[in-house]
Amino acid sequence: MNRATPLLENGYSYHGIPVMHVLYLLLILIAPFAGVDLLLVLSLGVFLVLRFSGRQLSCSRDAVSLSFSLSLMLFVSAISKGLPYTFPFYIVLAAFAVAAVGNHITFFSERGFTADFESEKSRRRQRRFSIMWSSIFLALRIIAAFLAASWIVYWQKLPIPYNFIFFIAVIGAVTGSLFESIPSKIDRNIPVPLGAGMTMWIFEEFRYWVPPEKMLVALIFSLFLGAMAYRAKIADVSALLSASLLGVLIIVFSGLPWFLLLLTFFILGGGFTRYKYAYKESIGIAQAKDGIRSYENVFSNSTAALALAVAYGVFPEYSTPIIFAYMGTVATATGDTLASEIGTTAKGKPRMITTLKLSEPGADGAVSSLGELAAIFGSAIIGVLGYALGISSDFLLSVLITTAGGFFGTNIDSLLGATLQKRGLLSNSGVNFAATFAGAGVSAGIYLLVSGF
């Protein structure tokens, strides 16, 4: 006689029926009628039962973490009522739905290849399979977030357009999947819903959206390019999703040419990382993981670009200085990458930017003539492309201001590396983050001086 299956085993019931998912669905269904306060009490009750009766129920850690995240978001929503920036109830449920769809299973993490996949062809097939199912799973998260938020909006008769709900559902689903792809010791059902919820809340305050068809085109295009980078071993899964999120936001707030300009940085950076890679590896200065970029690299070099692209859509009255600032920040990221990847292969030793003393190749703050020329070259390419793509209407200003911003931003990066990074006050990502904002400021400042404000 077979032993009976426990009522809840890893979140599943007898015969594999997902009991926890049924509970999640019930919470969403009663949410508009229960309201924030009552649902907070219920979710806290669920969390306490699962947390302290977990052994008897054989309940998974996922369910405990997710119920805790829901309780925390509901608490923030409850205490922010009446304040200027209320955490909307419908966003809480949308973020919860993003995580609940993914509970007990993940598609957004790197998968190791077993001995069964011996040939390179088999490995490529497995890689394609992962991308395909991850895309389908992302679509399910978007649908779940949209339906959960729409359910609240409909029954509570909130004056919120469904086009806007779809807009933030896409942002929340991609953000949640990105947080799931980032390696962490924290259970994913804490950063996924909280990350998705906070990001949707930020864009909820803008109340800016585009038609669903434009949003879908932007998402598909961004995912496609990210998948190509992943297949080309330029990016890992977290970088794929980071670039997709950046792509969606930049395209909808400022346009496709803006994203193509940023994409130029990623292509040039990935390409020149492979330049004399064996030599750079032999002297210990090559990029780790064969030059494959992660989310950290994407965001440290592109956060300024994202902020400026969003500002362009939200504040059109300041569009021209924002345009030059955007080209300056992309030029800084490009110039710095080319200066590092090409400059370290120069004959002879570089010099420290602060003292001009000879230094070892690859040292923080070390510069060379070849690296400086590479920075100018990379920055100038961004200026030329900015004009060619129609972002800037003045060729001479585009090239000169962008090149200046990229060149100064690259050297600010070196200066920060020689000072704050060497002292352990900033990481390499922190230096890139600060330098790209500095490059944006230099380009915008030069434009304002030339134009006479």
Side-chain angles (χ1 to χ4, degrees), residues 133-148:
W133 283 105
S134 295
S135 301
I136 293 173
F137 198 67
L138 178 62
L140 291 176
R141 279 184 157 166
I142 294 170
I143 294 169
F146 174 76
L147 292 176

Side-chain angles (χ1 to χ4, degrees), residues 108-110 178-186 236 238 295:
F108 299 102
S109 59
E110 294 283 7
L178 168 61
F179 273 92
E180 187 177 70
S181 72
I182 298 172
S184 174
K185 294 180 180 180
I186 302 173
D236 63 11
S238 68
Y295 73 96

Side-chain angles (χ1 to χ4, degrees), residues 163-164 166-167 208-216 218 248 251-253:
N163 283 355
F164 177 71
F166 182 78
F167 176 78
Y208 176 99
W209 72 91
V210 294
E213 58 272 17
K214 183 176 180 180
M215 192 67 173
L216 282 174
V248 168
I251 290 170
V252 300
F253 277 94

Side-chain angles (χ1 to χ4, degrees), residues 70 96 103 126 217 220 230 242 276 292 310 409 425:
L70 175 61
F96 174 71
N103 203 26
Q126 175 71 0
V217 169
I220 292 169
Y230 177 73
S242 302
K276 294 188 177 181
I292 297 176
V310 172
L425 299 176

Side-chain angles (χ1 to χ4, degrees), residues 128-409:
R128 285 197 300 271
F129 177 84
S130 175
I131 291 172
M132 180 186 71
W133 283 105
S134 295
S135 301
I136 293 173
F137 198 67
L138 178 62
L140 291 176
R141 279 184 157 166
I142 294 170
I143 294 169
F146 174 76
L147 292 176
S150 298
W151 180 252
I152 302 294
V153 167
Y154 175 79
W155 285 107
Q156 295 194 342
K157 302 187 186 316
L158 301 176
I160 300 170
Y162 290 105
N163 283 355
F164 177 71
I165 295 174
F166 182 78
F167 176 78
I168 62 170
V170 172
I171 292 173
V174 176
T175 303
S177 301
L178 168 61
F179 273 92
E180 187 177 70
S181 72
I182 298 172
S184 174
K185 294 180 180 180
I186 302 173
D187 186 272
R188 63 180 179 273
N189 278 313
I190 294 178
V192 168
L194 295 182
M198 293 302 106
T199 305
M200 287 190 284
W201 188 10
I202 291 171
F203 285 95
E204 201 272 345
E205 291 297 327
F206 290 140
R207 283 299 173 97
Y208 176 99
W209 72 91
V210 294
E213 58 272 17
K214 183 176 180 180
M215 192 67 173
L216 282 174
V217 169
L219 176 63
I220 292 169
F221 181 73
S222 301
L223 280 173
F224 172 75
L225 293 178
M228 294 291 288
Y230 177 73
R231 291 284 307 282
K233 297 181 180 180
I234 295 174
D236 63 11
V237 173
S238 68
L240 184 162
L241 291 166
S242 302
S244 298
L245 180 61
L246 286 171
V248 168
L249 295 175
I250 290 174
I251 290 170
V252 300
F253 277 94
S254 50
L256 178 60
W258 289 55
F259 181 56
L260 292 177
L261 192 67
L262 184 62
L263 189 65
T264 302
F265 153 64
F266 290 116
I267 293 172
L268 288 174
F272 279 99
T273 296
R274 308 288 172 85
Y275 174 71
K276 294 188 177 181
Y277 188 85
Y279 168 72
K280 288 183 281 189
E281 190 174 35
S282 68
I283 60 174
I285 61 172
Q287 281 275 351
K289 300 191 298 183
D290 294 327
I292 297 176
R293 263 53 176 180
S294 69
Y295 73 96
E296 192 174 7
N297 181 272
V298 173
F299 280 119
S300 65
N301 284 288
S302 307
T303 300
L306 174 61
L308 289 164
V310 172
Y312 179 82
V314 177
F315 306 109
E317 63 271 24
Y318 304 111
S319 59
T320 307
I322 290 173
I323 285 171
F324 283 100
Y326 182 84
M327 292 193 296
T329 193
V330 178
T332 298
T334 307
D336 177 55
T337 301
L338 267 60
S340 299
E341 299 298 341
I342 297 175
T344 51
T345 65
K347 294 180 179 179
K349 289 188 175 183
R351 294 183 179 273
M352 189 59 57
I353 192 171
T354 50
T355 63
L356 297 182
K357 292 180 179 180
L358 293 176
S359 180
E360 294 299 319
D364 298 328
V367 296
S368 66
S369 298
L370 181 60
E372 295 294 289
L373 289 173
I376 293 172
F377 172 71
S379 300
I381 286 177
I382 298 301
V384 172
L385 280 177
Y387 174 78
L389 291 169
I391 298 173
S392 169
S393 58
D394 189 310
F395 177 77
L396 188 60
L397 280 181
S398 177
V399 175
L400 292 179
I401 292 178
T402 302
T403 303
F407 177 75
F408 281 107

